[in-house]
Amino acid sequence: MTETASTYATAGIAAGMSTYPHPKPVLDTGALAEAIRVQLRTWVTAEFGITVPTPEMVTAGPADSAAQLLGEITEHVRLYGVERDGDAEPWGIAHLCNAHADSLYATHGHGDAYLLGALYSLIAARAHLRDGYEGRFELDPFGGDRRTINERALIETIRVQLATWAPNTFGTVVQLPERWEMRCAADLSDAIGHVIGAAEAKYGDMDDDDSIRGMAHLANARAHGLKAAYGHGDAHLLAALTSLVLAVSSLP
């Protein structure tokens, strides 16, 4: 067994038997709104000059705060546009408008699944509007017309997040499944493991703060993915997603 494989095996045993990582994640309105806030913080201020509030500022009304912020961002993009080539700008604006609409549905009591839909759309919007991605992503992570937060929807959101950056960063060494091909948290954990292996090869010898921070976030994502795979709850999938969002914002 190689050193890397041994490390993954040890991490898997730890994830199955311990309470790591801390604190225990939750999956509720506040957690989803915070995930949206964190995702926006990684790109919106630098791209549009819009200030993203602190966690304390969204605690009292998480869904309302998310909808208000997304409305401000959407209006800014509609007024001033974003200069991106090809289909990147229209697709990015479509996803941004979709995120705002979903957040309004959540605000009006239609369920937290709309906040997950908003987060998914923001991930796609960032790829188009910040990075100029010209491919196409589906408009939501849900199967059929019913919007429900479940393992499948969370996994699809994470798969799309990985698709927005991992292939471009690591090339063909990282092969991501197509939509719905990852059927359970164990499949997702394996995919994150492949990404970490590629990241170790690319960033393992770097000692700058960004690389170290990015690798730490990837390690956290892997740990949360393993916890979900061992049956500790879908909240670990949301935590893995947030860690991946932070990882891509840190890695050079």
Side-chain angles (χ1 to χ4, degrees), residues 26 28 53 135 153 212 236:
V26 295
D28 58 14
I212 293 170
H236 284 283

Side-chain angles (χ1 to χ4, degrees), residues 17 20 150 197:
M17 300 180 64
Y20 176 82
N150 54 25

Side-chain angles (χ1 to χ4, degrees), residues 27-115:
L27 182 55
D28 58 14
T29 304
L32 287 160
E34 173 60 10
I36 288 172
R37 189 197 69 82
V38 168
Q39 199 276 345
L40 291 172
R41 184 169 158 266
T42 66
W43 68 288
V44 162
T45 301
E47 195 70 26
F48 305 127
I50 296 173
T51 301
V52 176
T54 63
E56 294 76 18
M57 295 173 68
V58 303
T59 301
D64 290 340
S65 298
Q68 181 178 349
L69 182 57
L70 288 173
E72 180 183 352
I73 297 165
T74 303
E75 185 65 19
H76 177 94
V77 172
R78 280 176 167 172
L79 285 174
Y80 300 105
V82 181
E83 293 185 5
R84 291 292 180 265
D85 295 332
D87 292 338
E89 181 176 355
W91 271 117
I93 293 174
H95 279 289
L96 192 56
C97 291
N98 206 48
H100 184 216
D102 278 350
S103 69
L104 290 173
Y105 273 108
T107 298
H108 288 89
H110 292 278
D112 287 344
Y114 281 96
L115 289 178

Side-chain angles (χ1 to χ4, degrees), residues 151 155 183-190 225-226 228-230 234 237:
E151 182 182 59
I155 287 173
R183 300 184 179 277
C184 62
D187 293 339
L188 172 67
S189 179
D190 289 343
L226 287 166
Y230 276 91
D234 289 344
L237 293 175

Side-chain angles (χ1 to χ4, degrees), residues 20 192 196 213-226 243 247:
Y20 176 82
I192 296 175
I196 288 180
R213 188 180 301 110
M215 291 301 297
H217 286 307
L218 281 179
N220 275 339
R222 171 67 164 166
H224 282 297
L226 287 166
S243 293

Side-chain angles (χ1 to χ4, degrees), residues 161-178:
Q161 198 279 336
L162 290 171
T164 64
W165 67 279
N168 287 340
T169 302
F170 305 118
T172 56
V173 70
V174 173
Q175 297 288 333
L176 293 175
E178 297 296 325

